[in-house]
Amino acid sequence: MVIKVMLLGFLGGNMIYAVIAFLMGDMQYIPEVLTKTGVCLVIHTILLLGVTALEHIENRNWRIKNRVGTDLGSEYKTLKCSAAYYMIYVCTFLLTLMLIALLYLWYQDERETLIESYHNGGLTTGIVYIIFMYLVSIYCFFRYTCQKVFYTKLFIYHVSFFKKEKVIWSQIQTIKYRYKKKKQKFIFTTHDHKTITLRSDILYDGWADFEEYVLDMADIYEIAIN
């Protein structure tokens, strides 16, 4: 839900930028402005549709799984990324608005200077910063915020943007535990050699509870940890 709100914020920021550029720009620059704004709108729309689709599939699957789990007396818990990663989206959105505001004020005071600076590449640094922040936001989205783990007494279910993985506790043969520079990692391997890797630097929120839960389940199902 938070990702959708942030992406909607990006879309709103792009639209505001297009409106301001339209109101304060000469007609000859409007096609160029709309083209660049349109690219951002397409990217954000694709991400928003992807998140919406993922959320829909996730909710649909977990309505079924939760119903089955409830029938078996099992409740699921969640493991997800730190909320700090969502601040990347907030910062990108605020930087976009700040750039729009600065350009607007500059345009009001020195219109010709702004136009000349734009065509001479004087705004390149600011544009590069914004593009960099957008790339970081996209990376964080795919790498961190779209990942989530649901786990119960029966199974572990890992959801990411491109794939979904599920292992049943009773089918797990070994659990590898790795610790390096405050980064922890669990590697679950089943009897048919299927593996799921979960890392604390990505799935930070709830990791301590999950770690304790894994140790308890390893004792119950007599799973070797090495």
Side-chain angles (χ1 to χ4, degrees), residues 79-97:
L79 179 64
K80 54 188 178 181
C81 77
S82 171
Y85 289 106
Y86 292 104
M87 294 304 298
I88 298 294
Y89 307 130
V90 176
C91 291
T92 303
F93 179 58
L94 293 178
L95 283 174
T96 302
L97 293 181

Side-chain angles (χ1 to χ4, degrees), residues 39-147:
V39 172
C40 293
L41 286 174
V42 170
I43 293 174
H44 294 150
T45 301
I46 292 174
L47 290 177
L48 182 60
L49 291 175
V51 173
T52 303
L54 180 65
E55 184 181 58
H56 176 74
I57 295 173
E58 178 182 309
N59 290 338
R60 173 180 171 276
N61 289 342
W62 274 95
R63 278 196 299 269
I64 298 173
K65 294 181 183 299
N66 193 27
R67 182 170 65 250
V68 173
T70 301
D71 294 340
L72 296 175
S74 177
E75 297 180 357
Y76 69 84
K77 298 181 180 181
T78 58
L79 179 64
K80 54 188 178 181
C81 77
S82 171
Y85 289 106
Y86 292 104
M87 294 304 298
I88 298 294
Y89 307 130
V90 176
C91 291
T92 303
F93 179 58
L94 293 178
L95 283 174
T96 302
L97 293 181
M98 182 179 70
L99 180 61
I100 293 172
L102 290 175
L103 289 176
Y104 178 75
L105 294 175
W106 189 1
Y107 180 85
Q108 293 294 318
D109 295 336
E110 303 177 7
R111 176 179 178 180
E112 297 299 329
T113 304
L114 174 59
I115 295 175
E116 181 180 354
S117 178
Y118 173 76
H119 287 285
N120 292 334
L123 303 179
T124 302
T125 301
I127 294 174
V128 169
Y129 285 150
I130 292 298
I131 293 175
F132 173 76
M133 289 300 297
Y134 275 97
L135 292 176
V136 171
S137 297
I138 294 172
Y139 172 79
C140 288
F141 170 76
F142 287 108
R143 177 69 171 172
Y144 297 100
T145 55
C146 72
Q147 295 200 43

Side-chain angles (χ1 to χ4, degrees), residues 13-30:
N14 291 141
M15 292 178 182
I16 292 172
Y17 172 76
V19 171
I20 292 177
F22 179 83
L23 293 176
M24 73 179 192
D26 294 329
M27 293 299 295
Q28 59 180 327
Y29 302 122
I30 289 176

